Amino acid sequence: MTLDPSLIEDCARRLLAAEQDVREVTKITDAHPQLDVATAYDIQDCLRGLKQAAGVRIVGMKMGLTSKPKMQQMGVDTPIYGFLGDDNAVDDGALVDTARLIHPKVEAEIAFVMRETLSGPDCDAARVLAATDYVVPAIELIDSRYENFRFDLPSVIADNTSAARYVLGSRPTSVDDLDLQTLGVVMEKNGQVVEVGAGAAVLGDPAGAVAMLVNMLAARGAVLPAGSVVLSGAITAAVAVAAGDNVLVRGDGIGTTSMRFA
Ligand code: 0L1
Ligand code: MG
C-alpha cells in the first residue's frame, strides 16, 4: 500500500524526532499495516531530505540484512540499504556518547570508498572493484528507533536501516592487494574477542553487496556517487554496547578501527 505524501512526511518526521529525542517509537506498520517496500523507501528518502534541509551532508550509503541468518530471521531474501550522513561519522578511536543513543549495537564491516560514480542496473563485483579507491575496516553502530529493536522489513527501511554512527579505519588499502572474500575480521569488546568472521559472510562477497546496492539504487533512479563511503554489510552479529565499553575491529591486512563509549 502506498501512502499519500503528507502521511509519508508524518512518518519521516516521527522517526527523525525519535532519533533527536532519543526515544523509542512503535513501528510504522502498527499504524500502516499495508505499508509496502517502495513506500518505505519513499519515507527513507523523505527522512534524508529533512536531514539535508537541517544541514546534514550525505557522505555515503550502507547495506543492511546482508547475512543469511539475518535475512532468515526477517523472512526476506533481499538486503536493504540506507544512507550515511556526516552526522553519523565518528573519528577513529573517538568517544561516543551513549546518552544520545537508544539501544546501541555494533557490527564489524568492510567499508569501500569509491573513486568513480557507479550506476546500475547491471553492476557487478568486478565493476565495483574497478571503481573503488580503497577499503578500510569499519564499525557500524546501529540503533533502531523502534521499541526493543523489533520491526518488520518496511518499518526498518523507513527507519534508515537503523543507521546511527560509524567509524572507519585510518589506513586505506587498495583492493588490488586483497581477497575480500577470505579477509578475516576480529571484533574485540573490552579486550576480549567477541566475534570473528570473513568477508564472504556478506552475501558471499562484500564487493557483490556493493554491486547489489548500485542495482537497487538504479531501480529507484539513483546512482552511487564518486567519493561515497559504503558500509558493505555486517560480517559479524551485532553486539550490544554501553557506557564504559571499548570496541575494536581488526581486519587482516587492512588495519584496525575502534569506538569508545561514555
Ligand atoms: O546494518 C544492518 O545490517 C542493520 C540493518 C537493520 C536491521 C537491524 O537493525 O538489525
Ligand atoms: Mg550494518
Side-chain angles (χ1 to χ4, degrees):
M1 181 190 79
T2 58
L3 298 179
D4 67 61
S6 70
L7 278 176
I8 287 173
E9 186 171 337
D10 284 353
C11 293
R13 285 193 184 281
R14 187 163 160 270
L15 288 165
L16 182 60
E19 182 178 347
Q20 288 170 339
D21 302 346
V22 195
R23 66 180 160 76
E24 299 173 314
V25 291
T26 53
K27 62 186 194 301
I28 304 240
T29 48
D30 287 358
H32 305 291
Q34 308 302 326
L35 182 69
D36 60 30
V37 162
T39 311
Y41 277 114
D42 292 341
I43 297 171
Q44 187 191 112
D45 286 348
C46 183
L47 179 64
R48 174 181 169 135
L50 292 172
K51 288 195 172 196
Q52 285 177 294
V56 171
R57 194 168 55 87
I58 303 304
V59 294
M61 302 297 293
K62 61 162 281 189
M63 284 293 267
L65 302 183
T66 46
S67 77
K68 280 260 151 25
K70 223 156 171 180
M71 279 192 257
Q72 276 162 0
Q73 188 191 332
M74 297 285 299
V76 298
D77 55 9
T78 45
I80 55 179
Y81 69 80
F83 63 86
L84 301 172
D86 58 356
D87 58 334
N88 300 129
V90 171
D91 289 338
D92 195 5
L95 208 53
V96 174
D97 182 5
T98 54
R100 299 297 313 148
L101 299 163
I102 304 167
H103 34 208
K105 295 182 187 176
V106 290
E107 301 174 330
E109 307 209 6
I110 295 171
F112 290 65
V113 176
M114 307 311 301
R115 185 180 45 238
E116 291 163 26
T117 297
L118 278 173
S119 51
D122 297 315
C123 190
D124 58 20
R127 275 185 62 202
V128 169
L129 294 175
T132 298
D133 196 359
Y134 58 86
V135 293
V136 280
I139 301 172
E140 185 185 19
L141 186 154
I142 54 172
D143 194 31
S144 173
R145 269 54 67 168
Y146 298 123
E147 290 170 342
N148 304 317
F149 245 102
R150 277 212 211 97
F151 43 71
D152 46 31
L153 193 66
S155 296
V156 72
I157 290 169
D159 184 30
N160 195 23
T161 66
S162 309
R165 303 283 187 279
Y166 71 91
V167 63
L168 303 181
S170 26
R171 195 184 92 194
T173 303
S174 163
V175 288
D176 300 342
D177 307 329
L178 297 169
D179 175 348
L180 293 175
Q181 290 175 295
T182 59
L183 192 151
V185 165
V186 173
M187 181 193 277
E188 290 176 16
K189 182 174 158 185
N190 304 328
Q192 302 291 317
V193 173
V194 286
E195 292 288 336
V196 292
V202 184
L203 294 173
D205 178 4
V210 179
M212 187 178 281
L213 166 68
V214 171
N215 294 331
M216 290 170 84
L217 288 171
R220 288 185 59 87
V223 300
L224 181 65
S228 295
V229 171
V230 183
L231 297 180
S232 56
I235 292 174
T236 63
V239 173
V241 286
D245 286 340
N246 280 291
V247 173
L248 179 129
V249 164
R250 194 171 336 122
D252 189 16
I254 59 170
T256 65
T257 191
S258 64
M259 272 182 185
R260 294 176 297 133
F261 297 90

